[in-house]
Amino acid sequence: MALSVDSILKLPAPKKVALLIVFLLVILGVYWFAFYRPQLERVRRKEAKLNDLIRERNTKRELAKDYEKYKAELKTIKARLKEVMAKLPEKKEIPHLLKSIANIGKASGLDILLFKPKGEERKEFYARVPFELKFLGRYHQIGFFFYSIAKLPRIITAENFTIERPQGRGEKGILQVTCTASTYRYVEAPPPQKKPERGRRRRR
């Protein structure tokens, strides 16, 4: 039975209300599936993309902070390395440096009994140049000698100390010091060796 406006108007009030509700539900259903739901999906996709962009931005900010931090640390390390490298003499400077140490000992009033360079010990990027020292002197002379050595612009260390009173010396306050002193020099890394190229086979 087809419904017309006149037939709808003649219906009882409860049926009119029920029919109106059905009509509204149909309109809402069409609106939901045809318009609102697609828009909602687009909004959700955009929200997800926005969240991804926010996370990416935050990650890049953290990376930028870390980059500046590492950049500053690298700059500090390079500066320290430069300072250390400046204190490592070149190979040609070693004889002059050893002579300077011997002269400081004499200028301090020490009686140098032994000044013997030993074999060079190679490490990764530097070489240790040890030498044996044995000398006689008073306490203040010994202290002045090591103080003067420490003031040199090059790195010099001392170890394996032996301090004793020398035998057969009548003077009081004289001490005999034996130690191993070392200086260091920078060693450049050797250039990488090229692999020999295999000869190409000639075609017969």
Side-chain angles (χ1 to χ4, degrees), residues 57-110:
R57 182 201 62 185
N58 293 337
T59 301
K60 288 181 178 179
R61 281 182 177 177
E62 293 299 322
L63 290 174
K65 290 180 182 178
D66 291 340
Y67 172 74
E68 293 300 326
K69 178 183 176 182
Y70 295 143
K71 188 177 178 181
E73 289 178 355
L74 181 61
K75 187 177 180 180
T76 302
I77 291 171
K78 285 183 176 180
R80 289 180 180 175
L81 181 61
K82 188 176 180 180
E83 290 177 4
V84 172
M85 297 303 296
K87 294 182 180 181
L88 296 180
E90 296 180 359
K91 189 172 184 178
K92 61 183 180 182
E93 297 180 51
I94 296 296
H96 176 71
L97 179 61
L98 297 180
K99 187 177 180 181
S100 297
I101 295 171
N103 290 337
I104 289 173
K106 293 177 182 178
S108 302
L110 301 178

Side-chain angles (χ1 to χ4, degrees), residues 5-180:
V5 176
D6 293 335
S7 60
I8 292 173
L9 292 175
K10 292 177 181 179
L11 291 173
K15 289 186 178 181
K16 289 180 181 179
V17 172
L19 188 61
L20 180 61
I21 291 173
V22 171
F23 181 71
L24 290 175
L25 289 175
V26 171
I27 293 175
L28 288 174
V30 172
Y31 176 76
W32 169 265
F33 287 103
F35 299 99
Y36 184 77
R37 188 175 179 180
Q39 290 291 338
L40 182 62
E41 291 297 328
R42 281 195 288 271
V43 169
R44 286 176 178 174
R45 286 196 297 269
K46 289 183 178 180
E47 285 180 349
K49 187 175 181 180
L50 178 62
N51 291 331
D52 291 340
L53 291 173
I54 291 173
R55 282 193 294 269
E56 184 179 353
R57 182 201 62 185
N58 293 337
T59 301
K60 288 181 178 179
R61 281 182 177 177
E62 293 299 322
L63 290 174
K65 290 180 182 178
D66 291 340
Y67 172 74
E68 293 300 326
K69 178 183 176 182
Y70 295 143
K71 188 177 178 181
E73 289 178 355
L74 181 61
K75 187 177 180 180
T76 302
I77 291 171
K78 285 183 176 180
R80 289 180 180 175
L81 181 61
K82 188 176 180 180
E83 290 177 4
V84 172
M85 297 303 296
K87 294 182 180 181
L88 296 180
E90 296 180 359
K91 189 172 184 178
K92 61 183 180 182
E93 297 180 51
I94 296 296
H96 176 71
L97 179 61
L98 297 180
K99 187 177 180 181
S100 297
I101 295 171
N103 290 337
I104 289 173
K106 293 177 182 178
S108 302
L110 301 178
D111 184 6
I112 307 295
L113 303 178
L114 178 67
F115 191 96
K116 181 182 178 183
K118 300 172 71 175
E120 187 177 87
E121 300 174 7
R122 289 218 171 193
K123 304 295 182 181
E124 186 174 355
F125 65 91
Y126 69 92
R128 177 173 175 259
V129 185
F131 51 95
E132 294 182 12
L133 266 177
K134 182 188 286 187
F135 53 83
L136 298 173
R138 298 183 183 278
Y139 180 80
H140 68 279
Q141 293 171 329
I142 296 170
F144 183 75
F145 170 69
F146 284 110
Y147 171 79
S148 301
I149 292 296
K151 297 288 286 183
L152 289 174
R154 302 303 187 185
I155 297 176
I156 299 172
T157 61
E159 58 187 355
N160 301 328
F161 278 92
T162 301
I163 302 175
E164 56 189 359
R165 294 189 180 278
Q167 297 179 357
R169 301 280 299 201
E171 299 177 61
K172 292 183 179 180
I174 298 295
L175 299 174
Q176 178 177 292
V177 179
T178 304
C179 68
T180 301

